[in-house]
Amino acid sequence: MEEKLIIAVCARPELYDTKLVMYRDRAVRKKTWCSVSEEVGLPPDQCRKRWKSLRDLYMREKRKELQRRNRPEGGPCKRWKYSAVPSFLDPFFSPREMNGNMDASSEDNMRSTIPHVDLEREILRALQAEPQPLPPPPPLSETELFLKSLIPMIDRLPPMRKGALKLKIHSLVFEAVSEFM
């Protein structure tokens, strides 16, 4: 069941890729979790909780693996049985630095060599700053409004009929454009 859930989530990047616009859209994610739920056979809330648990477990396993690599003794390790399956998360996994290679005195010396730059304050100031509002989208043209008004009617058609209609519309537009060229 866990493997089925991992595979279902893998096919839907809007659930894990933070760079996607759809990742921030709650309605899209809610619909996506419903489709995952149908595929896995569990309620959406249970799928979401189980996924979070699996993802967190995978992240912990990755951190442990990185720590084992950094240790000189290595040693045997017991691997999680699904450790290879959620590897699609690797591009979104950035391990935290657990222990540095500099001691406190060399870190202080390094800070003092950078004149007038208090990086932590700059970051804090940037985080506290009001986000710039996005510019309003340009108004829709008359053609865009007309085409958007057709969407509800076209969506009610069966798939075969919808495809045939799209083809006819495309050919009409192509003919009209080619007459003027």
Side-chain angles (χ1 to χ4, degrees):
M1 197 270 304
E2 280 85 6
E3 194 168 325
K4 199 174 184 182
L5 178 62
I6 293 169
I7 292 169
V9 170
C10 176
R12 296 162 177 90
E14 61 270 21
L15 295 177
Y16 59 87
D17 188 351
T18 56
K19 294 176 186 158
L20 292 178
V21 174
M22 293 181 298
Y23 178 81
R24 292 173 183 85
D25 189 343
R26 289 183 183 184
V28 169
R29 285 204 331 248
K30 187 175 182 179
K31 283 182 185 177
T32 306
W33 278 116
C34 287
S35 69
V36 168
S37 167
E38 291 173 11
E39 192 173 323
V40 176
L42 293 173
D45 287 339
Q46 199 172 351
C47 286
R48 197 175 14 243
K49 286 177 186 173
R50 188 67 191 134
W51 165 248
K52 186 179 183 311
S53 171
L54 289 168
R55 183 201 61 204
D56 293 348
L57 183 60
Y58 177 71
M59 295 302 179
R60 280 194 301 272
E61 288 294 321
K62 288 296 279 185
R63 268 188 229 110
K64 284 180 191 175
E65 185 180 321
L66 287 172
Q67 286 175 348
R68 278 192 297 269
R69 286 183 192 166
N70 292 337
R71 287 189 196 139
E73 67 268 5
C77 61
K78 186 177 178 183
R79 295 192 62 166
W80 179 45
K81 65 180 178 176
Y82 297 114
S83 62
V85 182
S87 60
F88 63 91
L89 291 174
D90 286 349
F92 311 102
F93 173 74
S94 57
R96 295 183 194 137
E97 185 72 294
M98 298 304 276
N99 47 1
N101 59 356
M102 296 191 319
D103 62 354
S105 62
S106 63
E107 199 171 320
D108 289 339
N109 290 340
M110 190 171 176
R111 277 195 193 134
S112 65
T113 60
I114 304 172
H116 308 292
V117 177
D118 193 351
L119 188 59
E120 291 171 354
R121 284 188 187 153
E122 289 296 320
I123 291 171
L124 187 59
R125 209 174 290 132
L127 289 173
Q128 290 173 341
E130 296 266 337
Q132 296 296 322
L134 295 174
L140 296 175
S141 71
E142 189 178 321
T143 307
E144 288 173 308
L145 290 170
F146 169 72
L147 292 172
K148 280 191 170 211
S149 72
L150 297 176
I151 292 172
M153 292 182 284
I154 294 172
D155 281 344
R156 285 189 226 130
L157 295 173
M160 289 293 287
R161 191 81 179 121
K162 193 185 299 186
L165 180 61
K166 287 179 185 177
L167 185 62
K168 285 180 184 176
I169 292 171
H170 189 316
S171 64
L172 284 171
V173 171
F174 181 75
E175 286 174 18
V177 170
S178 59
E179 284 178 13
F180 290 103
M181 292 188 142

